[in-house]
Amino acid sequence: MVKKWIAMIVIATIIVALCVLENVYIQNSFEYLQNELTVVESMFNEDKSNIDREENISYLTALHERWREKTKILKMVVWHTGMKEVEINMSRIQSYAEQNNYEEAVVELGALQDFCLHYKDDFTIAPENIL
């Protein structure tokens, strides 16, 4: 009987540990993206009339590639539609930057930053998310 309780406690502990690790990865991933988007926003604000500079475009391209690497793992644990929304917004931001359209790029940037905040909240460890 004691062996059964020990096995159940070990299994429960492993499940809780995996949930915490999953949550930490999700939170860190979206925190990373938010920080990177803040950098992009400051780059755009440096010269609002010339956001199509090569350094901006290359930074966005590199960010998009780094994010794709993170989504390989994220797609295993979160909704695919959410990852699709991030990809679409990132592509739009890059397209608007290439077209030197500051207003639209900033709108998409704000939408993606807001999405990241809400998505992080959806995956916090809280009683309402567990139940």
Side-chain angles (χ1 to χ4, degrees):
M1 175 113 160
V2 173
K3 289 182 182 179
K4 289 181 183 178
W5 280 105
I6 291 173
M8 288 176 20
I9 290 171
V10 168
I11 290 170
T13 303
I14 290 171
I15 290 171
V16 169
L18 288 174
C19 289
V20 168
L21 287 173
E22 173 189 71
N23 180 268
V24 167
Y25 186 78
I26 292 168
Q27 297 297 319
N28 288 343
S29 296
F30 281 98
E31 185 70 31
Y32 162 79
L33 183 57
Q34 279 183 295
N35 292 337
E36 291 296 314
L37 293 174
T38 302
V39 171
V40 170
E41 185 175 26
S42 67
M43 291 172 76
F44 285 173
N45 287 330
E46 283 178 16
D47 188 3
K48 295 178 182 180
S49 60
N50 292 314
I51 65 168
D52 61 345
R53 294 181 300 176
E54 183 59 37
E55 72 179 63
N56 290 355
I57 304 303
S58 62
Y59 192 86
L60 285 167
T61 302
L63 172 59
H64 205 162
E65 286 303 314
R66 289 189 306 267
W67 181 253
R68 283 187 183 138
E69 290 300 314
K70 287 191 176 288
T71 60
K72 289 178 182 177
I73 295 171
L74 284 170
K75 285 182 179 179
M76 288 187 249
V77 294
V78 299
W79 303 309
H80 288 262
T81 55
M83 296 298 95
K84 183 179 176 181
E85 289 295 319
V86 172
E87 290 287 325
I88 290 169
N89 279 36
M90 289 181 79
S91 294
R92 286 180 182 164
I93 293 167
Q94 188 169 352
S95 294
Y96 289 134
E98 289 168 355
Q99 296 169 5
N100 201 30
N101 190 337
Y102 173 79
E103 291 81 17
E104 291 296 328
V106 169
V107 167
E108 289 296 331
L109 195 60
L112 186 52
Q113 287 172 328
D114 188 53
F115 182 83
C116 288
L117 283 173
H118 291 294
Y119 214 73
K120 277 177 36 179
D121 290 344
D122 288 346
F123 288 96
T124 57
I125 296 178
E128 60 269 11
N129 289 344
I130 294 170
L131 300 176

